[in-house]
Amino acid sequence: MKKLLFIITLFLVFGNHISAQCLCGITPSESRWDGIGFRINDEPLKKYACGYQLTVKTTAKITFVSGGYLCIDKKECKAQISAKLMNGTSVVQNFSNFTFTETIQFPSNGNFKLVLSAKCGKMTCKTCTYYFKVL
């Protein structure tokens, strides 16, 4: 009987702890990136899914307006988001705290990618990448 009570107590303690954690997606394929929208120059706001490839001119200004990552227990935690603008394997610009109010400009023509990373609590989540062909 004591063992059963001990096991039930452990389950209740750890079960509540697990449900209160700040977690990424439930399955590896689940994407919890939400509502990422940006403007190219003065064009209207558009929302783009992760993996989208855009062709822009070197004079383009990409202004982020909305978006984020939804942690599983969003009442209790908020995702910490960072980003890297890359040209090949070189980091062009690093955003240690990406707030979705950032403006990105490209230094030259070429193929760039913006990699958004999220952390829910101590858990690193699936990234979201946008590809830019800059002419």
Side-chain angles (χ1 to χ4, degrees):
M1 183 69 171
K2 288 182 183 181
K3 285 183 182 181
L4 179 61
L5 288 175
F6 179 72
I7 290 171
I8 291 172
T9 304
L10 284 177
F11 178 75
L12 291 173
V13 169
F14 287 109
N16 288 337
H17 177 69
I18 289 169
S19 65
Q21 284 183 344
C22 184
L23 302 171
C24 299
I26 296 169
T27 64
S29 62
E30 181 181 22
S31 176
R32 298 190 54 86
W33 289 100
D34 182 54
I36 299 174
F38 50 90
R39 287 187 174 89
I40 300 172
N41 297 320
D42 293 325
E43 293 177 11
L45 170 70
K46 291 185 182 176
K47 293 189 177 184
Y48 298 93
C50 297
Y52 200 84
Q53 181 169 347
L54 296 106
T55 300
V56 296
K57 295 182 179 181
T58 54
T59 57
K61 289 183 183 179
I62 310 297
T63 304
F64 283 81
V65 178
S66 65
Y69 187 89
L70 300 174
C71 297
I72 296 242
D73 192 3
K74 64 183 179 180
K75 290 180 185 176
E76 298 296 324
C77 67
K78 186 176 177 184
Q80 298 172 333
I81 299 172
S82 60
K84 290 182 183 181
L85 179 63
M86 302 180 74
N87 185 348
T89 57
S90 300
V91 176
V92 175
Q93 190 170 2
N94 194 11
F95 301 89
S96 58
N97 183 24
F98 195 84
T99 61
F100 289 95
T101 59
E102 310 290 346
T103 298
I104 295 171
Q105 289 184 277
F106 302 98
S108 63
N109 61 357
N111 293 312
F112 292 82
K113 65 182 175 181
L114 179 70
V115 181
L116 301 170
S117 302
K119 286 183 81 171
C120 291
K122 295 180 182 180
M123 181 181 265
T124 300
C125 307
K126 184 178 176 183
T127 60
C128 177
T129 304
Y130 292 99
Y131 300 90
F132 298 92
K133 183 175 184 177
V134 182
L135 306 174

